[in-house]
Structure formats: structure tokens, C-alpha cells
């Protein structure tokens, strides 16, 4: 374990909180400018998250949270675990950390100018390396667990596209099997795969996609929405077909189904946020767990809602109850189906307040604004944090979601 930070260092870090609130985004923007001039580092990042400042905003919030909680770092356990899992998915290694240290400390000195005294720079150097050592240690544990597990591997592994299906006009699923014909690591329902993709004219790209198939299958399935301005999603939809090969890292992620629980479960999703949830649902159905299941999903239209036939079949078999919300469709003339209720409009906080089950565990995934509304409503209803679980697609830019 890293040596704990001394009281003087922690006091200095805490004293920089006002400066981080005022200049945190400027610091992280400057940090990425310095960091991404190195090709070996630049290729590890999602370029689109730099263009829209999503990554710098997320890092600024994480740095601020670190400083604010420097005397009670136990509060940051969930954040640290998410970062470690993301790093493992991207194959971040110990040798990458000095580059980040140089860029971050250089950015702090550049943005704060004379206010970045030698004492402040020394304290932030110590604070950075303390957290870096925590992450390096945790990431090594995860790497070792993956490599030693049946079907596990280290680094990037080639997968062939065994099948491709168009789920909706905008969403496609890809079934992936190991190109070497070897065994497949059993993921936890809800985790994702990280991919290293070489796209002509754009070089090496990294992306994460949730696994939408159940653990224990002979393949991984990813289900990807085609974003019109999305470089990688467009390339996957337009260029990747059966027989093609993709490079993936071991499954990662800290959002997964609690398999030993017996309480009711509510899956609350919108848009393509259903992808990790479908894996959880298939896992529950495959193990025939005796849990009450409610599936709640919002989409713009019926045509754009994926996996509806599969969900309605499960409802007809009394496996679950389902609520479908369609923002731009009328449901007045819809024929009723066993176990399925259709609603016009989006999933609202008012509807959720009237439907809260205080005994259930909620798994939530969707656009950030949707998740903020749903999580806030459940918290206001008195549900403890252990019963509210969620996945963030991309980088968290809301302080509540960061922690």
C-alpha cells in the first residue's frame, strides 16, 4: 500500500480547492494539450471527448473531488474503482503514469502562475503519486485476475465477427468469437469491452461498448447505436461485417449485476442505455433466479426501441413485467399484451415517484440528464445508495455522478 499523505500535504491540497473550483477546467484542458502531443499517449484517448471537452470536464471534477475529500479518501472508493476498471479496459500501464504527472503538474503551474508556489507544487506532486500508486496497484490486481482466469488474456486479443444483426434502423448487434478458437473469459453481466480500432484516415481509436449477451455464452455480443457524427460508430455500422476481425481487451467495468441478491430488481433505461441491462436480464433468466423483475425502457419511437420482441416474450412467460415509453408515438390504439404496459411520452420523475418499490434494487443506464433525474428521484424517495446502481456512458460531467 502507498504511504499515506502527511497532514501538511493534505492541508495544502485542501487549501487549493477554491483555485480548483475557479480554474479546474482550464488546468485539465492545458494538461490534455500537453499530454496528447505524445502519439503513444494520444492513441489511448477518445478524440471526440476532447473536442467537446467531456474528458477535461470529467477529469476536473475528479481532481476537485480528490482535493475536497483528501482527509476522507474512503468516500472516493467507487470513483477510484471506476477509473481503475476503465484503465484496465484501455490497457493503461504503469509506464504511462509519469507522462500524466508531467502534464498535470505542468498545467497547474502554467494556469495558476505565481500562485503555484513550490509548496503547492510539491504537495500536488505527492498527492498525484499517492493516487497513481493506488490505481497502479489495483489495476495490477485486475490484470492478474483476468490473465489467470479461464479464457482470460492480457493486452489485445483478436475477435472475429461471427454474426451481425440490425436490431433497429440505428442499432446493430455484433457477435464476437475468439479468432484463436480458445476459451472465452466469463464476464460479469453489465461489463463492457474496450476496442483498439485502426480507422483509415483517423489512425488508432479506443472505444468501450457494453456486452449485451449473458455471461457464459460462447461469444460476446455488443450492441452499437449509429451516431451520425460518431466516427467509430459510423465506421462499425458501415464497414464491419461477418468475418471481419476486431481487437478487444478483457471485459471490464464496475457496473454489474449483484448475482447473490434476492430482492426485486428494476431495470430503468433509455435509448441505447439498455445494452448492459440486456446482459443482466439474460443472466437472470438463464439462472432462473427467483426475483421479481420490472423492465422500464424509454425510446423515441417503437421502431427505435431494441430488443422489444425478446422483452415482450419474457413478459408473456411471466418472467418479468415491462413498461415501454415512446416519446413520439401514440399508444392509444396499441393492442394489449400480457405483462406489458405502453406509455406515451418520456419516463418522467412524476411517473417514477408513483412507481418506486422501496425493496427493489435499481439498475439505471441512459443519457446523463435522464440518469440525474432518475437517481435524484430515487434518492428523494429514501432509497439507500446500495439500491441505486448506474452506468455512465462516456465521462461523468456531473459531480453527483462522479462520486
Amino acid at each position: 500500500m502507498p504511504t499515506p499523505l502527511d497532514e501538511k500535504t493534505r492541508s495544502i491540497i485542501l487549501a487549493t480547492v477554491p483555485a480548483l473550483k475557479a480554474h479546474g477546467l482550464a488546468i485539465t484542458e492545458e494538461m490534455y494539450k500537453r499530454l496528447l502531443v505524445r502519439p503513444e499517449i494520444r492513441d489511448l484517448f477518445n478524440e471526440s471527448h476532447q473536442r467537446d471537452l467531456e474528458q477535461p470536464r470529467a477529469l476536473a471534477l475528479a481532481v476537485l473531488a480528490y482535493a475536497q475529500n483528501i482527509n476522507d479518501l474512503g468516500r472516493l472508493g467507487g470513483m477510484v474503482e471506476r477509473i481503475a476498471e476503465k484503465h484496465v479496459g484501455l490497457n493503461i500501464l504503469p509506464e504511462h503514469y509519469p507522462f500524466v504527472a508531467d502534464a498535470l503538474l505542468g498545467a497547474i503551474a502554467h494556469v495558476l502562475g505565481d500562485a503555484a508556489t513550490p509548496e503547492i507544487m510539491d504537495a500536488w506532486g505527492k498527492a498525484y503519486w499517492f493516487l497513481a500508486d493506488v490505481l497502479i496497484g489495483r489495476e495490477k490486481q485486475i490484470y492478474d485476475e483476468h490473465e489467470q482466469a479461464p479464457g482470460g488474456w492480457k493486452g489485445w486479443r483478436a475477435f472475429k465477427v461471427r454474426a451481425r444483426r440490425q436490431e433497429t434502423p440505428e442499432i446493430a448487434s455484433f457477435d464476437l468469437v475468439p479468432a484463436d478458437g480458445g476459451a472465452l473469459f466469463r464476464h460479469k453481466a453489465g461489463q463492457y469491452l474496450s476496442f483498439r480500432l485502426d480507422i483509415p484516415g483517423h489512425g488508432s481509436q479506443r472505444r468501450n461498448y457494453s456486452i449485451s449477451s449473458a455471461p457464459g455464452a460462447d461469444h460476446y455480443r455488443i450492441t452499437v447505436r449509429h451516431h451520425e457524427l460518431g466516427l467509430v460508430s459510423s465506421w462499425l455500422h458501415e464497414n464491419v461485417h461477418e468475418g471481419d476481425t476486431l481487437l478487444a481487451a478483457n471485459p471490464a467495468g464496475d457496473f454489474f449485476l449483484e448475482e447473490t441478491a434476492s430482492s426485486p430488481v428494476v431495470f430503468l433505461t433509455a435509448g441505447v442505455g439498455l445494452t448492459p441491462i440486456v446482459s443482466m436480464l439474460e443472466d437472470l433468466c438463464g439462472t432462473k433466479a427467483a426475483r421479481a423483475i420490472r423492465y422500464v425502457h424509454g425510446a423515441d419511437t417503437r421502431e427505435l426501441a431494441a430488443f422489444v420482441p425478446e422483452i415482450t416474450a419474457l413478459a408473456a412467460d411471466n418472467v418479468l413485467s415491462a413498461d415501454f415509453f415512446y416519446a413520439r408515438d401514440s399508444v392509444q390504439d396499441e393492442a394489449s399484451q400480457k405483462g406489458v404496459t405502453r406509455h406515451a411520452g418520456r419516463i418522467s420523475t412524476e411517473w417514477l415517484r408513483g412507481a418506486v418499490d422501496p425493496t427493489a434494487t435499481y439498475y439505471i443506464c441512459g443519457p446523463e440528464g435522464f440518469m440525474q433525474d432518475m437517481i435524484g428521484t430515487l434518492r428523494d424517495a429514501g432509497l439507500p445508495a446500495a439500491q441505486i446502481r448506474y452506468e455512465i456512458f462516456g465521462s461523468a460531467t456531473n459531480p453527483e455522478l462522479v462520486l
Side-chain angles (χ1 to χ4, degrees), residues 93-142:
L93 300 172
E95 53 261 38
H96 295 132
Y97 279 87
F99 295 111
V100 180
D102 291 345
L104 177 60
L105 296 175
I108 291 173
H110 176 81
V111 172
L112 297 187
D114 292 341
T117 65
E119 282 189 325
I120 286 176
M121 296 307 300
D122 180 66
W124 267 105
K126 291 177 179 176
Y128 170 81
W129 279 110
F130 173 82
L131 182 57
D133 287 342
V134 170
L135 288 167
I136 289 169
R138 176 60 185 139
E139 288 157 18
K140 183 180 186 306
Q141 288 179 332
I142 300 172

Short mmCIF file of all heavy atoms in Angstrom, two decimals, residues 93-142:
data_model
loop_
_atom_site.label_atom_id
_atom_site.label_comp_id
_atom_site.label_asym_id
_atom_site.label_seq_id
_atom_site.Cartn_x
_atom_site.Cartn_y
_atom_site.Cartn_z
N LEU A 93 -0.85 1.31 -18.53
CA LEU A 93 0.21 0.60 -17.82
C LEU A 93 0.98 1.56 -16.92
O LEU A 93 0.91 2.78 -17.09
CB LEU A 93 1.15 -0.05 -18.83
CG LEU A 93 0.50 -1.07 -19.79
CD1 LEU A 93 1.48 -1.50 -20.87
CD2 LEU A 93 -0.03 -2.27 -19.02
N PRO A 94 1.75 1.03 -15.94
CA PRO A 94 2.50 1.91 -15.03
C PRO A 94 3.38 2.92 -15.74
O PRO A 94 3.56 4.05 -15.27
CB PRO A 94 3.33 0.91 -14.21
CG PRO A 94 2.51 -0.33 -14.19
CD PRO A 94 1.88 -0.40 -15.55
N GLU A 95 3.95 2.53 -16.90
CA GLU A 95 4.84 3.46 -17.59
C GLU A 95 4.13 4.68 -18.18
O GLU A 95 4.79 5.65 -18.60
CB GLU A 95 5.62 2.74 -18.70
CG GLU A 95 4.75 1.98 -19.69
CD GLU A 95 4.68 0.49 -19.39
OE1 GLU A 95 4.62 0.14 -18.19
OE2 GLU A 95 4.67 -0.31 -20.34
N HIS A 96 2.80 4.65 -18.24
CA HIS A 96 2.07 5.81 -18.73
C HIS A 96 1.93 6.90 -17.68
O HIS A 96 1.72 8.07 -18.02
CB HIS A 96 0.67 5.39 -19.21
CG HIS A 96 0.70 4.47 -20.40
ND1 HIS A 96 -0.03 3.31 -20.45
CD2 HIS A 96 1.38 4.54 -21.56
CE1 HIS A 96 0.18 2.71 -21.60
NE2 HIS A 96 1.04 3.42 -22.30
N TYR A 97 2.00 6.54 -16.41
CA TYR A 97 1.70 7.50 -15.34
C TYR A 97 2.68 8.68 -15.26
O TYR A 97 2.26 9.81 -14.97
CB TYR A 97 1.60 6.76 -14.00
CG TYR A 97 0.26 6.12 -13.79
CD1 TYR A 97 0.00 4.83 -14.27
CD2 TYR A 97 -0.77 6.79 -13.14
CE1 TYR A 97 -1.24 4.24 -14.10
CE2 TYR A 97 -2.01 6.21 -12.95
CZ TYR A 97 -2.24 4.92 -13.43
OH TYR A 97 -3.47 4.35 -13.27
N PRO A 98 3.99 8.50 -15.48
CA PRO A 98 4.87 9.67 -15.44
C PRO A 98 4.52 10.74 -16.48
O PRO A 98 4.67 11.94 -16.21
CB PRO A 98 6.26 9.07 -15.72
CG PRO A 98 6.16 7.65 -15.25
CD PRO A 98 4.76 7.24 -15.61
N PHE A 99 4.02 10.33 -17.65
CA PHE A 99 3.61 11.31 -18.65
C PHE A 99 2.47 12.18 -18.12
O PHE A 99 2.45 13.39 -18.32
CB PHE A 99 3.17 10.60 -19.94
CG PHE A 99 4.26 9.86 -20.65
CD1 PHE A 99 4.27 8.48 -20.70
CD2 PHE A 99 5.30 10.55 -21.27
CE1 PHE A 99 5.27 7.79 -21.36
CE2 PHE A 99 6.32 9.87 -21.93
CZ PHE A 99 6.31 8.48 -21.97
N VAL A 100 1.52 11.52 -17.44
CA VAL A 100 0.38 12.26 -16.89
C VAL A 100 0.84 13.19 -15.78
O VAL A 100 0.38 14.33 -15.67
CB VAL A 100 -0.70 11.28 -16.37
CG1 VAL A 100 -1.88 12.06 -15.80
CG2 VAL A 100 -1.17 10.36 -17.49
N ALA A 101 1.76 12.72 -14.95
CA ALA A 101 2.29 13.56 -13.87
C ALA A 101 2.91 14.83 -14.42
O ALA A 101 2.62 15.94 -13.95
CB ALA A 101 3.31 12.78 -13.05
N ASP A 102 3.77 14.68 -15.43
CA ASP A 102 4.42 15.85 -16.02
C ASP A 102 3.40 16.82 -16.61
O ASP A 102 3.52 18.05 -16.43
CB ASP A 102 5.41 15.42 -17.11
CG ASP A 102 6.62 14.69 -16.55
OD1 ASP A 102 6.85 14.76 -15.33
OD2 ASP A 102 7.32 14.03 -17.35
N ALA A 103 2.40 16.28 -17.30
CA ALA A 103 1.41 17.14 -17.94
C ALA A 103 0.53 17.84 -16.92
O ALA A 103 0.25 19.03 -17.04
CB ALA A 103 0.55 16.31 -18.90
N LEU A 104 0.08 17.12 -15.89
CA LEU A 104 -0.80 17.71 -14.89
C LEU A 104 -0.07 18.77 -14.07
O LEU A 104 -0.58 19.89 -13.89
CB LEU A 104 -1.36 16.63 -13.97
CG LEU A 104 -2.25 17.13 -12.82
CD1 LEU A 104 -3.46 17.87 -13.35
CD2 LEU A 104 -2.67 15.97 -11.92
N LEU A 105 1.10 18.44 -13.56
CA LEU A 105 1.83 19.40 -12.75
C LEU A 105 2.25 20.61 -13.58
O LEU A 105 2.21 21.76 -13.10
CB LEU A 105 3.03 18.73 -12.11
CG LEU A 105 2.70 17.61 -11.11
CD1 LEU A 105 3.96 16.93 -10.61
CD2 LEU A 105 1.88 18.13 -9.94
N GLY A 106 2.62 20.36 -14.83
CA GLY A 106 2.96 21.48 -15.70
C GLY A 106 1.76 22.37 -15.95
O GLY A 106 1.89 23.61 -16.01
N ALA A 107 0.58 21.77 -16.09
CA ALA A 107 -0.64 22.55 -16.33
C ALA A 107 -1.01 23.37 -15.10
O ALA A 107 -1.44 24.53 -15.22
CB ALA A 107 -1.78 21.62 -16.71
N ILE A 108 -0.87 22.80 -13.92
CA ILE A 108 -1.16 23.55 -12.69
C ILE A 108 -0.25 24.77 -12.60
O ILE A 108 -0.71 25.89 -12.33
CB ILE A 108 -0.98 22.65 -11.45
CG1 ILE A 108 -2.06 21.56 -11.41
CG2 ILE A 108 -1.02 23.47 -10.16
CD1 ILE A 108 -1.86 20.52 -10.32
N ALA A 109 1.04 24.57 -12.84
CA ALA A 109 1.98 25.69 -12.77
C ALA A 109 1.67 26.74 -13.83
O ALA A 109 1.73 27.95 -13.56
CB ALA A 109 3.41 25.17 -12.95
N HIS A 110 1.30 26.30 -15.03
CA HIS A 110 1.00 27.23 -16.12
C HIS A 110 -0.24 28.06 -15.84
O HIS A 110 -0.23 29.29 -16.02
CB HIS A 110 0.83 26.44 -17.42
CG HIS A 110 0.42 27.28 -18.59
ND1 HIS A 110 1.32 28.01 -19.31
CD2 HIS A 110 -0.81 27.50 -19.15
CE1 HIS A 110 0.68 28.66 -20.27
NE2 HIS A 110 -0.61 28.37 -20.20
N VAL A 111 -1.30 27.42 -15.39
CA VAL A 111 -2.58 28.13 -15.20
C VAL A 111 -2.55 29.00 -13.95
O VAL A 111 -3.04 30.14 -13.96
CB VAL A 111 -3.75 27.11 -15.12
CG1 VAL A 111 -5.05 27.81 -14.73
CG2 VAL A 111 -3.91 26.41 -16.46
N LEU A 112 -1.99 28.51 -12.87
CA LEU A 112 -2.00 29.28 -11.61
C LEU A 112 -0.88 30.30 -11.53
O LEU A 112 -0.93 31.22 -10.70
CB LEU A 112 -1.93 28.32 -10.42
CG LEU A 112 -3.09 27.34 -10.25
CD1 LEU A 112 -2.96 26.59 -8.94
CD2 LEU A 112 -4.43 28.06 -10.32
N GLY A 113 0.13 30.16 -12.36
CA GLY A 113 1.20 31.15 -12.39
C GLY A 113 1.91 31.27 -11.05
O GLY A 113 2.28 30.26 -10.43
N ASP A 114 2.07 32.52 -10.58
CA ASP A 114 2.80 32.76 -9.33
C ASP A 114 2.10 32.13 -8.13
O ASP A 114 2.74 31.90 -7.09
CB ASP A 114 2.96 34.27 -9.10
CG ASP A 114 3.89 34.91 -10.12
OD1 ASP A 114 4.67 34.16 -10.74
OD2 ASP A 114 3.83 36.13 -10.29
N ALA A 115 0.78 31.87 -8.25
CA ALA A 115 0.05 31.26 -7.13
C ALA A 115 0.46 29.80 -6.92
O ALA A 115 0.23 29.25 -5.84
CB ALA A 115 -1.46 31.34 -7.39
N ALA A 116 1.09 29.21 -7.92
CA ALA A 116 1.56 27.83 -7.79
C ALA A 116 2.93 27.84 -7.12
O ALA A 116 3.97 27.70 -7.75
CB ALA A 116 1.63 27.16 -9.16
N THR A 117 2.92 28.03 -5.83
CA THR A 117 4.16 28.12 -5.06
C THR A 117 4.87 26.76 -5.03
O THR A 117 4.26 25.72 -5.29
CB THR A 117 3.85 28.55 -3.62
OG1 THR A 117 3.06 27.52 -2.99
CG2 THR A 117 3.09 29.87 -3.59
N PRO A 118 6.16 26.76 -4.70
CA PRO A 118 6.86 25.48 -4.57
C PRO A 118 6.18 24.52 -3.60
O PRO A 118 6.17 23.30 -3.85
CB PRO A 118 8.25 25.90 -4.07
CG PRO A 118 8.43 27.28 -4.62
CD PRO A 118 7.07 27.92 -4.56
N GLU A 119 5.61 25.04 -2.51
CA GLU A 119 4.92 24.17 -1.55
C GLU A 119 3.70 23.51 -2.19
O GLU A 119 3.44 22.32 -1.99
CB GLU A 119 4.48 24.98 -0.32
CG GLU A 119 5.59 25.27 0.67
CD GLU A 119 5.06 25.87 1.94
OE1 GLU A 119 4.08 26.66 1.85
OE2 GLU A 119 5.58 25.56 3.03
N ILE A 120 2.93 24.30 -2.95
CA ILE A 120 1.74 23.75 -3.62
C ILE A 120 2.15 22.71 -4.66
O ILE A 120 1.55 21.62 -4.75
CB ILE A 120 0.92 24.88 -4.26
CG1 ILE A 120 0.17 25.67 -3.19
CG2 ILE A 120 -0.07 24.31 -5.30
CD1 ILE A 120 -0.59 26.87 -3.71
N MET A 121 3.18 23.00 -5.43
CA MET A 121 3.61 22.04 -6.45
C MET A 121 4.13 20.76 -5.82
O MET A 121 3.87 19.65 -6.31
CB MET A 121 4.67 22.67 -7.34
CG MET A 121 4.17 23.87 -8.15
SD MET A 121 2.68 23.51 -9.13
CE MET A 121 3.27 22.19 -10.19
N ASP A 122 4.86 20.89 -4.72
CA ASP A 122 5.36 19.71 -4.03
C ASP A 122 4.21 18.87 -3.48
O ASP A 122 4.22 17.63 -3.60
CB ASP A 122 6.29 20.13 -2.89
CG ASP A 122 6.84 18.93 -2.14
OD1 ASP A 122 7.61 18.15 -2.74
OD2 ASP A 122 6.49 18.76 -0.95
N ALA A 123 3.21 19.55 -2.89
CA ALA A 123 2.06 18.82 -2.33
C ALA A 123 1.28 18.10 -3.42
O ALA A 123 0.90 16.93 -3.25
CB ALA A 123 1.15 19.79 -1.57
N TRP A 124 1.08 18.76 -4.57
CA TRP A 124 0.32 18.11 -5.64
C TRP A 124 1.13 16.99 -6.29
O TRP A 124 0.57 16.00 -6.76
CB TRP A 124 -0.16 19.12 -6.67
CG TRP A 124 -1.54 19.59 -6.33
CD1 TRP A 124 -1.92 20.79 -5.81
CD2 TRP A 124 -2.74 18.81 -6.45
NE1 TRP A 124 -3.27 20.82 -5.59
CE2 TRP A 124 -3.80 19.62 -5.99
CE3 TRP A 124 -3.01 17.53 -6.90
CZ2 TRP A 124 -5.12 19.16 -5.96
CZ3 TRP A 124 -4.33 17.08 -6.88
CH2 TRP A 124 -5.37 17.89 -6.41
N GLY A 125 2.45 17.12 -6.29
CA GLY A 125 3.26 16.01 -6.78
C GLY A 125 3.10 14.78 -5.91
O GLY A 125 2.92 13.66 -6.40
N LYS A 126 3.13 14.99 -4.59
CA LYS A 126 2.93 13.87 -3.67
C LYS A 126 1.53 13.30 -3.79
O LYS A 126 1.34 12.07 -3.77
CB LYS A 126 3.19 14.33 -2.23
CG LYS A 126 4.64 14.66 -1.93
CD LYS A 126 4.79 15.18 -0.50
CE LYS A 126 6.23 15.50 -0.17
NZ LYS A 126 6.36 16.10 1.19
N ALA A 127 0.52 14.19 -3.89
CA ALA A 127 -0.87 13.73 -3.97
C ALA A 127 -1.11 12.94 -5.25
O ALA A 127 -1.80 11.92 -5.25
CB ALA A 127 -1.82 14.92 -3.89
N TYR A 128 -0.52 13.41 -6.37
CA TYR A 128 -0.69 12.69 -7.63
C TYR A 128 -0.11 11.29 -7.51
O TYR A 128 -0.77 10.30 -7.88
CB TYR A 128 -0.01 13.43 -8.78
CG TYR A 128 0.03 12.56 -10.03
CD1 TYR A 128 -1.08 12.47 -10.86
CD2 TYR A 128 1.15 11.79 -10.35
CE1 TYR A 128 -1.08 11.64 -11.98
CE2 TYR A 128 1.16 10.96 -11.45
CZ TYR A 128 0.05 10.89 -12.27
OH TYR A 128 0.04 10.05 -13.36
N TRP A 129 1.11 11.18 -7.02
CA TRP A 129 1.75 9.87 -6.99
C TRP A 129 1.14 8.94 -5.96
O TRP A 129 1.15 7.72 -6.14
CB TRP A 129 3.27 10.01 -6.80
CG TRP A 129 3.91 10.31 -8.11
CD1 TRP A 129 4.50 11.48 -8.49
CD2 TRP A 129 3.99 9.43 -9.23
NE1 TRP A 129 4.94 11.39 -9.79
CE2 TRP A 129 4.65 10.15 -10.26
CE3 TRP A 129 3.59 8.13 -9.48
CZ2 TRP A 129 4.90 9.58 -11.52
CZ3 TRP A 129 3.83 7.57 -10.72
CH2 TRP A 129 4.47 8.29 -11.73
N PHE A 130 0.54 9.49 -4.91
CA PHE A 130 -0.18 8.64 -3.97
C PHE A 130 -1.36 7.98 -4.69
O PHE A 130 -1.54 6.75 -4.63
CB PHE A 130 -0.69 9.44 -2.77
CG PHE A 130 -1.59 8.65 -1.87
CD1 PHE A 130 -1.06 7.79 -0.92
CD2 PHE A 130 -2.97 8.74 -1.98
CE1 PHE A 130 -1.89 7.03 -0.09
CE2 PHE A 130 -3.81 7.99 -1.16
CZ PHE A 130 -3.26 7.14 -0.21
N LEU A 131 -2.16 8.78 -5.38
CA LEU A 131 -3.32 8.23 -6.09
C LEU A 131 -2.86 7.32 -7.22
O LEU A 131 -3.47 6.27 -7.47
CB LEU A 131 -4.19 9.36 -6.62
CG LEU A 131 -5.47 8.95 -7.36
CD1 LEU A 131 -6.35 8.08 -6.48
CD2 LEU A 131 -6.24 10.18 -7.84
N ALA A 132 -1.80 7.72 -7.93
CA ALA A 132 -1.31 6.88 -9.02
C ALA A 132 -0.89 5.51 -8.51
O ALA A 132 -1.19 4.49 -9.14
CB ALA A 132 -0.13 7.58 -9.71
N ASP A 133 -0.21 5.49 -7.37
CA ASP A 133 0.21 4.19 -6.81
C ASP A 133 -0.98 3.34 -6.40
O ASP A 133 -0.96 2.10 -6.54
CB ASP A 133 1.14 4.42 -5.62
CG ASP A 133 2.52 4.91 -6.04
OD1 ASP A 133 2.87 4.75 -7.23
OD2 ASP A 133 3.24 5.47 -5.19
N VAL A 134 -2.04 3.98 -5.88
CA VAL A 134 -3.26 3.24 -5.54
C VAL A 134 -3.84 2.61 -6.81
O VAL A 134 -4.20 1.42 -6.84
CB VAL A 134 -4.30 4.16 -4.88
CG1 VAL A 134 -5.66 3.46 -4.76
CG2 VAL A 134 -3.82 4.59 -3.49
N LEU A 135 -3.93 3.41 -7.88
CA LEU A 135 -4.50 2.91 -9.13
C LEU A 135 -3.62 1.83 -9.75
O LEU A 135 -4.13 0.80 -10.22
CB LEU A 135 -4.68 4.07 -10.11
CG LEU A 135 -5.81 5.05 -9.78
CD1 LEU A 135 -5.70 6.30 -10.64
CD2 LEU A 135 -7.17 4.39 -9.98
N ILE A 136 -2.33 2.03 -9.77
CA ILE A 136 -1.42 1.04 -10.35
C ILE A 136 -1.55 -0.29 -9.62
O ILE A 136 -1.59 -1.36 -10.24
CB ILE A 136 0.03 1.56 -10.30
CG1 ILE A 136 0.21 2.70 -11.30
CG2 ILE A 136 1.02 0.43 -10.60
CD1 ILE A 136 1.53 3.45 -11.16
N GLY A 137 -1.65 -0.23 -8.28
CA GLY A 137 -1.80 -1.46 -7.51
C GLY A 137 -3.10 -2.17 -7.80
O GLY A 137 -3.13 -3.41 -7.99
N ARG A 138 -4.20 -1.41 -7.86
CA ARG A 138 -5.50 -2.02 -8.14
C ARG A 138 -5.56 -2.56 -9.57
O ARG A 138 -6.10 -3.65 -9.81
CB ARG A 138 -6.62 -1.01 -7.91
CG ARG A 138 -8.01 -1.51 -8.26
CD ARG A 138 -8.39 -2.73 -7.45
NE ARG A 138 -9.69 -3.28 -7.87
CZ ARG A 138 -9.94 -4.58 -7.99
NH1 ARG A 138 -9.01 -5.49 -7.69
NH2 ARG A 138 -11.13 -4.98 -8.38
N GLU A 139 -4.99 -1.82 -10.49
CA GLU A 139 -5.01 -2.27 -11.88
C GLU A 139 -4.20 -3.55 -12.07
O GLU A 139 -4.59 -4.43 -12.84
CB GLU A 139 -4.49 -1.14 -12.78
CG GLU A 139 -5.48 0.00 -12.91
CD GLU A 139 -4.85 1.33 -13.29
OE1 GLU A 139 -3.70 1.33 -13.79
OE2 GLU A 139 -5.49 2.37 -13.05
N LYS A 140 -3.08 -3.67 -11.36
CA LYS A 140 -2.30 -4.91 -11.44
C LYS A 140 -3.13 -6.09 -10.94
O LYS A 140 -3.08 -7.19 -11.54
CB LYS A 140 -1.02 -4.78 -10.62
CG LYS A 140 -0.12 -6.03 -10.73
CD LYS A 140 1.14 -5.91 -9.92
CE LYS A 140 2.08 -7.10 -10.17
NZ LYS A 140 1.44 -8.40 -9.97
N GLN A 141 -3.89 -5.88 -9.85
CA GLN A 141 -4.74 -6.96 -9.35
C GLN A 141 -5.73 -7.40 -10.43
O GLN A 141 -5.92 -8.60 -10.65
CB GLN A 141 -5.52 -6.49 -8.11
CG GLN A 141 -4.69 -6.32 -6.86
CD GLN A 141 -5.54 -5.84 -5.70
OE1 GLN A 141 -6.55 -5.16 -5.88
NE2 GLN A 141 -5.14 -6.20 -4.49
N ILE A 142 -6.35 -6.43 -11.09
CA ILE A 142 -7.36 -6.76 -12.10
C ILE A 142 -6.71 -7.45 -13.30
O ILE A 142 -7.21 -8.46 -13.81
CB ILE A 142 -8.12 -5.50 -12.55
CG1 ILE A 142 -8.84 -4.86 -11.36
CG2 ILE A 142 -9.14 -5.86 -13.64
CD1 ILE A 142 -9.44 -3.51 -11.67
#
